[in-house]
């Protein structure tokens, strides 16, 4: 039973990687760089995106956003108000709701993404520290948001996510004076699971 | 393809429910009440448990804890220091790590849980707002922890979790003065997806 399960999962991940490569080819053909943005629920992905998109990026870089949510389009509405092209993916079709984006969901949404008119696509994944890390979607880089309010132990408890990203944005640091969270220990734990990974300390709320 | 997938998922959930009932029978035989404790990563499940277990519960209720984590036993170590019987389940065997507990994982751990010596078993699920809600494990009640730091929109974005629980503990309210989070809106959103569900406003940090 266990071996059958492992086999099915490996086949599913192989199939996912094949579709991710097809996505990657489409992005390359249009010269679009792609970020897969991941975090736990409520860590601040959308607010950080809003902040980053509120003024034009350097060098006239044109950005598009692909929003992944189980249900609803609350984040897409927030981003669209900044006059950025947004495409919504909902993962709830079929049953209770997928807890992550996979390459095929992204592929299905690509006809609605104006690849010819953007230089950078930000894919905001479903808020979850486990499964999104297992599914490549054709991205160039993986960025995760870690809110200090989640505590310093999370890199050790959700290591795959921290291990497979190229940049960790440490958010909500304006709250540090009101928390019993040890920032040094958080940074040490991140470095333990992904030695040398880049980190950036930010506050979406205070800027 | 889609229909096949739905069929497989339905079969898996049926199988899960059958095992959940077997767990339930074992709990009933020993007169053990069971709480399935769920939340996003870092919402404060373990800290709330530590607070609740730091002094004896009323009526001499004897508590045991089942800790679900992808990797490690950090929370189990914290709980064990309170001299409460703890059993660890790690979900990372086989591949990247399951994002939830299912009935079979709990069943596999039951031989290590001293059911004859406890009255209440708290099952601390993997930190995740999506999949844990889809898998019954034999519990009597589902309790979720919602940290105000996650923002007021989470009930609308992760409705199944909020809809299937009997009690929502709203945690980290000591941070409200430092957040732009609307508590009234959070409560209204919870009531929208699960009308009449009980809520309790708490702060694990300040007591």
């Amino acid at each position: 039973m266990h071996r059958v399960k492992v086999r099915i999962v490996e086949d599913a991940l192989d199939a996912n990687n094949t579709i991710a490569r097809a996505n990657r080819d489409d992005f390359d053909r249009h010269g679009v760089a792609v970020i897969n943005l991941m975090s736990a629920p409520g860590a601040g992905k959308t607010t950080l995106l809003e902040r980053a998109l509120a003024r034009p990026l350097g060098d006239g870089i044109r950005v598009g956003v692909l929003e992944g949510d189980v249900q609803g389009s609350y984040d897409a509405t927030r981003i669209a108000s900044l006059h950025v092209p947004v495409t919504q993916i909902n993962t709830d079709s079929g049953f209770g709701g997928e807890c992550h984006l996979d390459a095929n969901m992204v592929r299905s949404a690509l006809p609605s993404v104006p690849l010819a008119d953007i230089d950078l696509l930000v894919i905001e994944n479903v808020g979850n520290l486990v499964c999104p890390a297992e599914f490549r979607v054709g991205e160039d880089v993986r960025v995760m948001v870690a809110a200090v309010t989640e505590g310093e132990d999370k890199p050790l408890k959700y290591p795959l996510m921290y291990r497979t990203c190229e940049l960790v944005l440490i958010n909500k640091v304006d709250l540090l004076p009101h928390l019993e969270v040890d920032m040094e220990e958080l940074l040490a734990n991140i470095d333990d699971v992904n030695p040398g990974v880049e980190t950036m300390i930010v506050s979406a709320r205070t800027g």
Side-chain angles (χ1 to χ4, degrees), chain A:
Chain A
M1 173 68 190
H2 183 63
R3 279 177 72 163
V4 171
K5 186 176 171 191
V6 170
R7 174 77 184 282
I8 291 173
V9 169
E10 284 173 352
D11 285 354
L13 289 178
D14 277 353
N16 184 75
N17 284 338
T18 302
I19 301 172
R21 274 191 296 273
N23 292 347
R24 180 70 264 156
D25 288 345
D26 283 356
F27 298 141
D28 284 345
R29 196 171 311 119
H30 291 92
V32 175
V34 180
I35 293 173
N36 185 355
L37 184 62
M38 302 182 284
S39 79
K45 292 185 297 301
T46 312
T47 307
L48 281 169
L49 254 181
E50 283 178 324
R51 288 279 173 152
L53 298 174
R55 49 183 186 203
L57 293 188
D59 298 327
I61 294 173
R62 300 162 300 168
V63 184
V65 175
L66 223 170
E67 280 291 342
D69 286 293
V70 178
Q71 273 192 21
S73 55
Y74 308 97
D75 295 345
T77 305
R78 286 167 63 184
I79 298 297
S81 72
L82 298 166
H83 309 291
V84 169
V86 185
T87 306
Q88 177 76 51
I89 302 178
N90 280 139
T91 68
D92 68 347
S93 65
F95 59 109
E98 292 278 2
C99 58
H100 60 275
L101 292 178
D102 65 27
N104 195 43
M105 295 179 209
V106 170
R107 186 135 202 89
S108 307
L110 284 191
S112 312
V113 178
L115 290 179
D117 305 323
I118 60 174
D119 307 299
L120 173 67
L121 178 66
V122 179
I123 301 177
E124 187 179 338
N125 219 307
V126 179
N128 179 351
L129 285 187
V130 186
C131 300
E134 296 171 19
F135 292 85
R136 295 256 156 208
V137 294
E139 69 271 39
D140 292 280
V141 289
R142 301 180 139 201
V143 176
M144 72 163 289
V145 181
V148 292
T149 44
E150 295 162 9
E152 60 277 287
D153 58 345
K154 295 305 165 294
L156 306 177
K157 296 177 66 182
Y158 304 91
L160 186 67
M161 172 71 72
Y162 281 85
R163 194 171 291 139
T164 63
C165 67
E166 278 85 21
L167 170 65
V168 182
L169 300 174
I170 301 174
N171 194 22
K172 306 195 187 183
V173 293
D174 56 291
L175 294 175
L176 273 177
H178 315 293
L179 302 173
E180 283 151 27
V181 170
D182 185 334
M183 185 70 162
E184 292 304 309
E185 197 182 328
L186 173 60
L187 290 168
N189 287 340
I190 293 172
D191 203 64
D192 260 6
V193 299
N194 192 350
V197 66
E198 279 198 66
T199 56
M200 197 182 287
I201 290 172
V202 297
S203 164
R205 185 166 154 265
T206 61

